[in-house]
């Protein structure tokens, strides 16, 4: 007779006992019999108390029930290191340098700073405080600093020679001779212009200093006004707000020219005023920045 059959008989006999007659031992026997009958190999499992217990670590994670969704982990943003300061010897890093001018106008420094900027260079003007802020590489800033030191010097004396000349084309013979004009200038006028005769109307000299404003009255009611810039390294002088006007007796002043003039040292600049290109008469204004101004 098999063990499974014997257990079944004991189990049937136990269940037929009255409930009040069942002792704890009988109940335990019923439980063991049920386990033996349901075990696929007919062996009783060891009691739970006899099984060795694995030591549980205090740091072991708790088991998540199957019906509870597993929480998703949030990715933490990467912490990037702060941008390092440019190395002391790095001449390509963009830096900021502020220049304060004490003698020259900051607006006049554009012609000095602009050509020295690198492709990454920028600048900002502050006319109120007479400063210029430049952002560029260290090598470019070094060149700009040298140029600004040379630019922001004491105002130098300036001498401008001024001539007002009538230019005419004779309709009848003989041609009126040219008078009162230097030979070198006369040759130049005849090479550049189609007029045949030139006569001097007025001649004068303007003596001033860099950075000053000039108002100059000439004969026959002509007036010149402009602001002197600074002489550049290539010996050029800027006359900003250049204006030429004429006032006749009993009439309001009439503006003839308003422009910006750049004078090269010892190079005459000729401005011609005429009603039209076919006119046989023109008024010429000749300006010449003299190199010997400091010695006069």
């Amino acid at each position: 007779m098999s063990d499974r059959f014997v257990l079944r008989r004991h189990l049937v006999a136990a269940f037929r006992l009255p409930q009040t007659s069942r002792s704890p031992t009988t109940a335990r026997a019923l439980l063991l019999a049920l386990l033996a009958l349901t075990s696929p190999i007919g062996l009783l499992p060891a009691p739970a108390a006899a099984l060795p217990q694995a030591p549980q670590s205090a740091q072991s994670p708790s088991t998540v029930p199957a019906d509870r969704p597993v929480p998703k982990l949030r990715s933490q943003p990467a912490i990037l290191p702060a941008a390092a300061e440019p190395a002391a010897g790095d001449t390509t890093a963009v830096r900021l340098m502020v220049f304060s001018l004490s003698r020259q106008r900051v607006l006049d420094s554009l012609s000095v700073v602009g050509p020295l900027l690198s492709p990454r260079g920028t600048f900002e003007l502050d006319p109120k405080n007479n400063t210029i802020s430049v952002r560029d590489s260290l090598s470019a800033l070094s060149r700009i600093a040298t140029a600004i030191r040379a630019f922001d010097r004491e105002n130098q004396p300036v001498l401008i020679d001024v001539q007002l000349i009538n230019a005419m084309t004779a309709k009848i013979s003989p041609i009126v001779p040219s008078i009162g004009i230097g030979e070198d200038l006369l040759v130049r006028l005849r090479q550049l212009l189609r007029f045949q005769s030139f006569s001097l109307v007025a001649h004068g000299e303007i003596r001033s200093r860099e950075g000053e404003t000039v108002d100059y009255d000439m004969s026959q009611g002509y007036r010149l006004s402009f602001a002197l810039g600074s002489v550049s390294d290539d010996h050029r002088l800027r006359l900003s707000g250049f204006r030429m006007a004429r006032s006749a007796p009993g009439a309001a002043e009439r503006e003839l020219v308003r422009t910006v003039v750049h004078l090269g040292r010892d190079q005459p600049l000729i401005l011609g005023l005429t009603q039209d290109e076919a006119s046989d008469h023109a008024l010429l204004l000749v300006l010449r920045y003299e190199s010997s101004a400091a010695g006069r």
Side-chain angles (χ1 to χ4, degrees):
M1 186 180 294
S2 65
D3 294 337
R4 189 178 295 273
F5 179 75
V6 173
L7 287 173
R8 183 179 292 114
R9 289 181 59 186
H10 286 294
L11 181 62
V12 171
F15 272 105
R16 286 179 179 178
L17 292 174
Q19 186 174 1
T20 55
S21 301
R22 297 175 188 173
S23 63
T25 304
T26 305
R28 179 176 179 82
L30 289 174
L31 176 61
L32 292 175
L34 287 172
L35 291 174
L37 289 175
T38 56
S39 176
I41 59 175
L43 298 178
L44 294 176
L51 294 176
Q53 299 293 328
Q56 294 201 10
S57 173
Q59 298 180 355
S60 60
S62 59
T63 304
V64 179
D67 58 347
R68 184 180 300 175
V70 179
K72 297 182 179 180
L73 298 178
R74 293 184 179 180
S75 60
Q76 298 297 328
I79 302 176
L80 300 178
E85 292 294 329
D90 187 1
T91 60
T92 61
V94 175
R95 304 166 189 261
L96 170 66
M97 191 173 290
V98 180
F99 301 94
S100 179
L101 279 65
S102 58
R103 297 181 179 88
Q104 305 297 331
R105 297 191 313 161
V106 70
L107 293 176
D108 295 332
S109 67
L110 294 181
S111 59
V112 176
V113 174
L116 300 178
L117 290 173
S118 73
R120 296 187 300 166
T122 60
F123 65 88
E124 182 178 348
L125 298 178
D126 183 1
K128 182 178 179 181
N129 296 313
N130 208 41
T131 61
I132 178 171
S133 302
V134 184
R135 288 178 175 84
D136 212 330
S137 63
L138 187 61
S139 56
L141 289 174
S142 178
R143 296 192 302 268
I144 292 171
T146 301
I148 286 183
R149 281 195 297 270
F151 168 77
D152 191 29
R153 65 187 186 284
E154 184 179 356
N155 292 339
Q156 301 297 314
V158 173
L159 173 63
I160 300 176
D161 184 85
V162 183
Q163 298 185 61
L164 198 59
I165 299 173
N166 263 326
M168 297 173 290
T169 297
K171 294 183 179 180
I172 58 174
S173 298
I175 299 174
V176 178
S178 300
I179 55 174
I181 303 172
E183 187 63 27
D184 293 343
L185 178 58
L186 188 58
V187 171
R188 186 176 181 85
L189 292 174
R190 286 174 174 167
Q191 290 175 346
L192 297 175
L193 305 173
R194 57 179 177 80
F195 300 104
Q196 299 172 332
S197 177
F198 302 90
S199 60
L200 185 65
V201 176
H203 184 206
E205 291 180 346
I206 298 176
R207 295 179 178 271
S208 186
R209 301 184 76 87
E210 294 172 317
E212 294 183 349
T213 300
V214 174
D215 287 302
Y216 182 69
D217 291 324
M218 305 182 70
S219 62
Q220 300 186 16
Y222 291 99
R223 172 192 288 267
L224 302 178
S225 59
F226 52 86
L228 283 167
S230 300
V231 180
S232 62
D233 291 339
D234 58 350
H235 307 293
R236 296 185 63 83
L237 178 64
R238 183 174 185 265
L239 311 183
S240 59
F242 184 88
R243 180 176 181 269
M244 180 178 180
R246 186 183 186 186
S247 56
E253 185 178 78
R254 182 165 61 98
E255 185 177 86
L256 304 176
V257 176
R258 180 181 289 272
T259 185
V260 176
V261 173
H262 294 270
L263 300 178
R265 186 175 65 178
D266 297 327
Q267 299 175 2
L269 175 70
I270 304 170
L271 298 176
L273 291 81
T274 184
Q275 293 181 349
D276 56 70
E277 295 182 358
S279 176
D280 58 357
H281 178 268
L283 182 65
L284 307 179
L285 176 66
V286 182
L287 303 173
R288 183 187 180 101
Y289 161 52
E290 301 284 349
S291 59
S292 56
R296 297 191 179 186

